[in-house]
Each structure stands twice: as structure tokens, then as C-alpha cells.
Amino acid sequence: MSQYPINPDLVAPGALSDNERLKAESEHLRGTIERDLKDEITGGFNGDNFMLIRFHGMYQQDDRDIRAERTAQKLEPLHNVMLRARMPGGIITPQQWLAIDKFAADNTMYGSIRLTTRQTFQFHGVLKPHIKPMHQFLNSIGIDSIATAGDVNRNVLCTSNPVESELHQQAYQWAAKISEHLLPKTRAYAEIWLDEEKVETTEVEPILGDNYLPRKFKTAVVIPPHNDIDVHANDLTFVAVAENGQLVGFNVLVGGGLAMTFGDDATYPRMADDLGYVALEHTLKVAEHVVTVQRDYGNRSNRKNAKTKYTIDRIGLDAFRAEVEARTGVAFAPVVPYSFTSRGDRIGWVEGIDGKQHLTLFIENGRVLDFPGKPLKTGLAKIAAIHQGDLRMTANQNLIIAGVPAAQKAEIDAIARAHGLIDDGHSEQRKNSMACVSFPTCPLAMAEAERYLPELVTKVEALLGKHNIADEHIVLRVTGCPNGCGRAMLAEVGLVGRGPGKYNLYLGGNREGTRVPRLLLDNVAEADILATLDGLIGRWATERSNSSEGFGDFVIRAGVIAPVVVPKDDFHS
């Protein structure tokens, strides 16, 4: 029951979805998870617990490469979990890194650490006997996975800006505060995983509510003009406003989101809208009540239309803003002008205003593992063993070795080069390409993404070279399904999996990440995709208005594809 007056005209009609039932009956996310942990008959979780473990930061998965073989042997799928850590702003200490490096090697099926587009890390392939010890291990080093999945506010992103050190630290601190403020208040995580004593009390979820949110909710803090966290992929974004290098407030954006459902034109990717400007002291209050408005008015009947973007399109931005203002008692001021001029990560060494050196390492697909000829995981462990600063995971699956004293730069550079962490041969195209995990672990995957991207990039590099623009790049992203994890719906060229070897091809995003692309080819194979790109890259090389015109801008200016202006109305047209 909301503590605020509800306007019935703004509530989505229809019977509640079954997810609302399971949340209501879960005893604040406890369910019967503890009982399932003791069930040795299956390696998975039963009934509602399959969904409830997501609120504890885990997804049940299986290795799809061997699923058919196990079925033929009359065995259940090889159930395991993927865990996503809560790391606001992506900052991790060298000591924590060394600890998770060892855990991944000793207790996961794949031995890897996966850096994600949500600026954190994931363990893949954790079998049931290792799940509870994993949570206790993470707790022992100051990490948890509370609310990194499920219908809650998830890991809060923050611009990875090691150059403007003081401003970045202030922005990071707000990302951490927002994360803590919006966490579930239930003690379920502590009781189930950390064996903390159950306290007989009436639990209240003052922000998220007893049924939690209608759908997942994503929040970010960004320092313009660098859009390294893709502001338009988030339900709520705080755009930093600084004066004389000091943070003074935020422009608030709401309603971004990239997921859609094939065949359902009522779903679509959407850009975020400006709500207005607020001073720093109102930040947590505004964050809280953007969430409570979405909690009370989000669609609890149709999960495909339950995200904040659909709430805003249904009730209107003005009504949404008015509700937030009424609940906070704070009127939004006019937006302070801002713009984004770049995206992605600045790979390589850079010196900060504090005189410290910072090394951004390109980690293809974010997969930290020892590959043949490229022992990345070993190299990072060696760096962490001597590093005196911190490590910063980026929202683009890369890793920053931050705060390196000038005297230690050469040593860390040598280690990185010896282990394939620095490769001067990496093209700008490779550094600006990204994919979601997809096969073999993601249960939603329709087509390959992570395992396909490296060879696809090589073929796109060849096309750029063929047309004498090998030093150029296109923001290229591949996802195995339309759920948006690899942010293909903010790419200049986005491939979204439809089936084995088949993708939808979307064109027309831009380098700054401020435009959604549009479908050009539906359900096609690589040959058709590359043939199309070959012709368009050739035209781009010779017809662009100037050397700074990006591929996405060119295909729109040249009339190859029309821009998406209002996704609700014209994304599918």
C-alpha cells in the first residue's frame, strides 16, 4: 500500500501478473530458498525460488553447449548460477581483485571473471554447493550482490573519469549513496546467505514497497561531456553539474531503456527525458521518489510494458514530473545546458590533474581469463599484487588501473604488455565494439554474441581497410536477444540475435549515444550483413561531409535510413 495518494486514472489496468503474486508471497524475498539449498536431488532452484534468487544477485543458468548431450543421457541440465556483484561506480581494491581472481579459479566452472556493461563483475558457472560459501566469501572482503537483479534498483553506474580526480570522487560518492539509499531493507540476504539471526519484527520496504518494483530499474551518474555510461540506457540518470571543478547539482533524466520484444510493437527502445535540475541536497530525495512514482504507477499487469519508459509514455512526462515534485516538495529548476561529445573508454595511459597516472585496459568482451598467448587473468593478478591505487571497472567492459605513481608506470606497463593487456595492434574498431554474454550460459540467447564478436570485428576491419579508412571506427554492438544487455540499441550498427546465425541489423545511432538506431534488415545471415556494410562503408568513405562525420550520422544524412524521433510512434514504422 502506497503512503501517497494514488490517481486511479494513471494506474495501468488489468489483472496482476504472476510475478506480483510471487513477490507478495515471498516474505520479503525469502521464499523457500534455504530449503532449496539443501535439496540434493536437483542442482537448480524450484518454483518461485528460480525468480527470487535474482533479487539476491543471481540467475539460474545451464551450459547450453552440453544441454542436448545431457538430455540424451536422461540427465537434467547442468544447473548453476551466475552471480553479479554490487559495485557502485565500479571501484574495487587490488586486494578484493586478488580475492575474486582466486575464487573464480577455484570455485567456478569457467574460471573467469566477466566485466559487464553494468560496471561490475560476474562469476559464471557456480554450482549449488558453492553458492552459499560464495556469498560468505564476498561478504568477508566487503562485497555483496544485493539487488543486482530482479525488480529493484540495480548496480548504480558512474562515469569512469580518473583525470578530473576530485570531481570524479564526488560523483562516485553520490553513486554509492544512491545505491545504499535505494537498497531493499529486508534482511533476507543476511539471513539466507550470511547465517545472521532472524529478528522477529515487522519489516517495511518504505521505498520499494512490499511488492518491490514492477520491473528492473537502472540508475547512473554521469559527468558530461563524456557519455561512457550510456545515459539513455537507464531509467534514472543524474547528469553532473559542476562549478570550478566542484559538483553543485544534477540534471535529472528519466525513462531511458533499450529492451524490446520481437513481434510486439508496444515495446521499443527509448531515449531518456529531462525532468530538470536539482541541487545536491535534494539528490537522494529525488532518486527515492522517482522510484516511488514508478513503483505506484508502473504496469504490474504486463511485464513487457512495466519499465519506467512505458510509464512515462502512458501517463505523460508532465504528470510524472508533477508526482515527483509533490512527493519531494522540491520543484525542478530548468535544465542546466549540457551536451555529450564522446563515448566509450579512452584506452591507454593518461595523466590526471592530481599528477597520478591511469591506465585503461581494453578487455575484449570483458572476459578476464588466460587465453592462449594472452594470459590476461594472470597479468591482472600480477598488477593487483603491486598496485597502490584502485581498479575501476567501466560500463564498456574494460578496466582502469587508477592512481599509479609516476615512478611505477613503467613496471605496470611492462607487466600489461607481457600478458597481452596492452596490444598496440588493437584497432579503433575493436576498441569500439561490444557484445553481451549470450551463449553458452544465457538462457535467453537466440544467437551468438560474445563468442562471435571477435571474428565479426575482424571482418569489419577488413571492410574499413578495403575502403582506405582503416583508422576509422563504427560503434558496433551485438546482442544475442532483444533484451538490451549489450546496448545495441544505442549503436551506429547494432546486431540483435534472432536465431542461430541470424540477426536483425539496425543502423543510425550516433557516436555520442544520443540516438536510437532503426531496423534495416530483418532476420538475415552474416553474408547479407557484411554485403550491406561493405556498400555503405564505401559510400561513407567517399561521400561523408567531413572527416568527423560518423557512420551513423552519414547513413541518416544520405537517406539510407530515417532517424528515430519518437520511439513510441516511429521505431517500428
Side-chain angles (χ1 to χ4, degrees), residues 46-65:
N46 300 305
D48 290 351
N49 296 330
F50 176 86
M51 295 294 296
L52 287 176
I53 63 169
R54 298 184 180 187
F55 292 82
H56 300 260
M58 296 176 292
Y59 287 86
Q60 181 172 308
Q61 303 182 336
D62 74 282
D63 190 322
R64 295 176 64 178
D65 284 348

Side-chain angles (χ1 to χ4, degrees), residues 365 448-457 459 478 495 503 525-526 529-530:
N365 285 315
E448 293 281 0
E450 177 182 330
R451 297 194 295 196
Y452 172 50
L453 184 70
E455 64 181 87
L456 174 64
V457 170
K459 292 172 182 177
V478 182
L495 272 63
Y503 300 86
E526 180 188 80
I529 293 167
L530 292 177

Side-chain angles (χ1 to χ4, degrees), residues 237-257:
T237 299
F238 290 92
V239 179
V241 176
E243 293 179 1
N244 300 317
Q246 298 294 309
L247 190 62
V248 296
F250 292 105
N251 290 317
V252 182
L253 278 66
V254 294

Side-chain angles (χ1 to χ4, degrees), residues 337-476:
Y338 67 94
S339 64
F340 293 107
T341 59
S342 58
R343 194 163 41 149
D345 295 328
R346 293 164 285 194
I347 305 301
W349 286 100
V350 64
E351 183 175 342
I353 60 175
D354 58 357
K356 295 289 183 68
Q357 300 289 324
H358 310 277
L359 172 62
T360 302
L361 299 170
F362 170 65
I363 310 292
E364 190 163 32
N365 285 315
R367 184 69 66 177
V368 178
L369 191 63
D370 284 348
F371 298 99
K374 292 195 306 180
L376 307 182
K377 192 164 179 284
T378 295
L380 282 173
K382 288 184 176 180
I383 290 173
I386 64 170
H387 181 41
Q388 301 169 38
D390 56 41
L391 307 173
R392 300 179 185 178
M393 295 169 277
T394 81
N396 301 296
Q397 304 172 330
N398 297 316
L399 189 68
I400 300 174
I401 313 300
V404 177
Q408 199 179 29
K409 177 182 176 181
E411 181 181 13
I412 287 180
D413 187 89
I415 295 172
R417 289 182 181 278
H419 293 81
L421 290 160
I422 296 178
D423 183 344
D424 296 328
H426 281 150
S427 68
E428 288 303 307
Q429 181 57 57
R430 194 164 298 275
K431 290 184 283 191
N432 283 278
S433 301
M434 190 162 70
C436 70
V437 173
S438 198
F439 287 105
T441 53
C442 179
L444 301 177
M446 301 177 184
E448 293 281 0
E450 177 182 330
R451 297 194 295 196
Y452 172 50
L453 184 70
E455 64 181 87
L456 174 64
V457 170
T458 298
K459 292 172 182 177
V460 173
E461 288 172 334
L463 294 179
L464 294 171
K466 173 184 175 181
H467 296 289
N468 301 311
I469 50 172
D471 292 337
E472 271 289 1
H473 74 274
I474 298 168
V475 178
L476 169 67

